[in-house]
Amino acid sequence: MIEFQGLHKTFGSNHVLKGVSGVLEAGKVNLILGGSGTGKSVLLKCLVGLLQPDDGAVLYNGRSFHESNVTEKKAIRREIGMLFQGSALFDSKTVEQNVMFPLDMLSNMEKGEKIDRVNFCLERVGLAGKNDLMPSEISGGMQKRVGIARAIVANSKYLFCDEPNSGLDPRTAILIDDLIKEITYEYNITTTVVTHDMNSVLGIGDKILYFQAGEKLWEGTRHEIYDAKVKEFNDFIFANIAMQELKNRN
Amino acid sequence: MRWLGRYILFIGSLFKNREPFRVYVQQILNECVNIGIDSLVIVVIVSTFIGAVTAVQTAYNMVSPFIPNYIIGMLVRDMVVLELAPTITSVVLAGKVGSHIAGSLGTMRITEQIDAIEIMGINSASYLVLPKIIGAIIVFPMLVILAAFLGIYGGFVAGVATNALTQVEYVYGVQYEFVPFNVGFMLIKTVVFAFIIASISSFSGFFTKGGALEVGKASTQAVTSSCIAVLLADYIISQLLLV
Ligand SMILES: Nc1ncnc2c1ncn2[C@@H]1O[C@H](COP(=O)(O)OP(=O)(O)OP(=O)(O)O)[C@@H](O)[C@H]1O
Ligand SMILES: [Mg+2]
């Protein structure tokens, strides 16, 4: 479980996070939902420690990330896997080397063990046998899969995904969503997904946190969204569902 | 001034919480190969011609019949070893290696590859930059020694071909009053230049913000800044060690 409390983040005069708090539940897919520019990515970066919040705390199973010393931080970091918005694969390394990278850096495994583990993960994300391709030689959807394989290869307990299905066609997007959901349950991972995609909400969101203009306006389960009493959130849902209807009709 | 402060902090951060040394060995070897192979051709061409031009111009300037011809060989040797081989080669390498370092780190930054390393609890600055600096410190002196040999050889070919002096005179001149310290001076300069170029270019690339346009700017900035820094350092080292 990850808790965050009173997070503030300001860039110059731009107050992006205005004291947000929330709980991300263990073994579930938690969605951080909100329109463009509401500070979702900034929140995610504060959670994983890529950005230092001005104020507030992030607790990983009770361990405060930003108050930890370097060794403790490293220990927490090593339990974190992240899928970046643009996949962020190392473009000078092959698919296999990309997925093996965390093992090379963090584990003392033998070469053979590492290869077995990499092959297992590649197979899990549906990319068996693609070991020797370069990132530039595979499609965006495949890059996301490699990104997921790299994020879980070192047995991460926490998985963060920044807009995992942006830039993908709707069918591939659903496949990636399903993969994230399956992996979360299979390995009991605490997964956090940033998105503005209503399909994801209905498909994989166990828990939803809705943000607008740097504030959390609503928090609840997927089944509660239609009963939400927050006007902005209702507008967001219905605008998206209406869009979806239109798209489906065409 | 703020720039200088941030640069010094950056250099400091390379050595804090770094990974175990075994992680770096392969990286350093890769960087050495990259830098060496990348720059070999240009260094060979530039140094040979500079030696040749130096010999021809020195001969052209020596009109007095009282100065023996072999002095040309000696002058070429000293100019090449003291200044031309280390400094010109480094300026050329600042263009070639510096822009490559800044460009590749800049691209890794804007495509979040650096964040991807950082997220694993790895000191990304140290992991990416230290091997580049060490690689440069290993390979630059090799390239400069090669450049010195080729420069002196270029002078030999040009001097003899233009009948400015004979082969024997040139070889005698190259050996005449040879000061071994000058070679040490050349290598000290080169190591300093290697550090300056690799670290400034890394600094420039590592903190790129924005998109592809900014990566291009970071590359240009890296080359300009490291050239200026190299020439400044050249002057300071010469003052300290030769005067
Ligand atoms: N490193 C930064 N420096 C300065 N401002 C930043 C930085 N990162 C984000 N911001 C600002 O923070 C605000 C929120 O950005 P953020 O990337 O979190 O939006 P988002 O909710 O992820 O939107 P999107 O759905 O488009 O990705 C924006 O106004 C942005 O300009
Ligand atoms: Mg974003």
Side-chain angles (χ1 to χ4, degrees), chain A residues 74 77 88-91 101, chain B residues 111-113 118-119 121 127:
Chain A
K74 268 198 172 179
R77 279 270 175 78
L89 301 182
F90 305 121
D91 38 34
F101 184 81
Chain B
T111 56
E112 298 181 310
Q113 293 175 49
E118 195 69 28
I119 200 93
Y127 174 76

Side-chain angles (χ1 to χ4, degrees), chain A residues 11 14 16 34-43 51 85 163 194 196, chain B residues 209:
Chain A
F11 295 105
N14 185 0
V16 179
S36 224
T38 49
K40 305 185 298 292
S41 296
V42 171
L43 173 61
L51 283 174
Q85 197 158 353
E163 313 228 358
V194 163
H196 46 226
Chain B
K209 282 201 178 89

Side-chain angles (χ1 to χ4, degrees), chain B residues 12-82:
Chain B
S13 75
L14 300 182
F15 299 95
K16 267 185 273 166
N17 316 310
R18 54 174 184 77
E19 303 308 305
F21 189 71
R22 70 175 164 86
V23 171
Y24 292 92
V25 175
Q26 186 62 42
Q27 294 281 103
I28 292 173
L29 288 177
N30 289 345
E31 296 298 341
C32 286
V33 172
N34 276 344
I35 298 172
I37 305 278
D38 249 21
S39 332
L40 199 57
V41 174
I42 184 90
V43 167
V44 167
I45 295 173
V46 169
S47 56
T48 313
F49 276 90
I50 284 196
V53 170
T54 310
V56 172
Q57 292 192 350
T58 312
Y60 172 75
N61 281 313
M62 292 212 320
V63 283
S64 164
F66 297 109
I67 302 176
N69 280 342
Y70 66 78
I71 292 296
I72 297 174
M74 188 194 92
L75 284 175
V76 170
R77 178 201 71 205
D78 281 350
M79 285 177 67
V80 164
V81 169
L82 286 178

Side-chain angles (χ1 to χ4, degrees), chain B:
Chain B
M1 268 297 119
R2 271 191 51 198
W3 184 90
L4 190 66
R6 284 183 39 217
Y7 171 72
I8 291 168
L9 285 180
F10 173 68
I11 299 296
S13 75
L14 300 182
F15 299 95
K16 267 185 273 166
N17 316 310
R18 54 174 184 77
E19 303 308 305
F21 189 71
R22 70 175 164 86
V23 171
Y24 292 92
V25 175
Q26 186 62 42
Q27 294 281 103
I28 292 173
L29 288 177
N30 289 345
E31 296 298 341
C32 286
V33 172
N34 276 344
I35 298 172
I37 305 278
D38 249 21
S39 332
L40 199 57
V41 174
I42 184 90
V43 167
V44 167
I45 295 173
V46 169
S47 56
T48 313
F49 276 90
I50 284 196
V53 170
T54 310
V56 172
Q57 292 192 350
T58 312
Y60 172 75
N61 281 313
M62 292 212 320
V63 283
S64 164
F66 297 109
I67 302 176
N69 280 342
Y70 66 78
I71 292 296
I72 297 174
M74 188 194 92
L75 284 175
V76 170
R77 178 201 71 205
D78 281 350
M79 285 177 67
V80 164
V81 169
L82 286 178
E83 181 65 13
L84 298 176
T87 310
I88 301 282
T89 307
S90 295
V91 169
V92 168
L93 290 177
K96 191 111 182 116
V97 178
S99 63
H100 179 74
I101 289 179
S104 61
L105 286 177
T107 307
M108 290 188 76
R109 167 64 74 193
I110 64 161
T111 56
E112 298 181 310
Q113 293 175 49
I114 292 181
D115 287 343
I117 294 176
E118 195 69 28
I119 200 93
M120 294 171 200
I122 298 163
N123 177 347
S124 59
S126 169
Y127 174 76
L128 293 170
V129 173
L130 216 47
K132 294 193 198 310
I133 294 181
I134 296 174
I137 288 179
I138 294 173
V139 175
F140 275 34
M142 297 183 190
L143 290 169
V144 165
I145 290 172
L146 177 72
F149 272 110
L150 289 172
I152 292 172
Y153 180 71
F156 172 80
V157 172
V160 172
T162 55
N163 288 322
L165 73 179
T166 66
Q167 295 187 8
V168 178
E169 283 172 328
Y170 190 89
V171 173
Y172 178 76
V174 166
Q175 293 167 343
Y176 182 73
E177 287 193 348
F178 174 67
V179 185
F181 170 74
N182 286 353
V183 174
F185 175 72
M186 170 179 94
L187 293 177
I188 292 171
K189 271 186 17 171
T190 308
V191 167
V192 174
F193 295 165
F195 178 82
I196 288 176
I197 292 169
S199 61
I200 290 185
S201 307
S202 299
F203 176 69
S204 178
F206 195 79
F207 294 106
T208 307
K209 282 201 178 89
L213 192 65
E214 280 75 13
V215 175
K217 278 189 197 151
S219 284
T220 323
Q221 183 62 45
V223 177
T224 322
S225 312
S226 31
C227 278
I228 295 173
V230 161
L231 296 173
L232 204 65
D234 188 23
Y235 177 73
I236 294 173
I237 298 172
S238 303
Q239 276 284 341
L240 288 178
L241 296 185
L242 292 187
V243 178

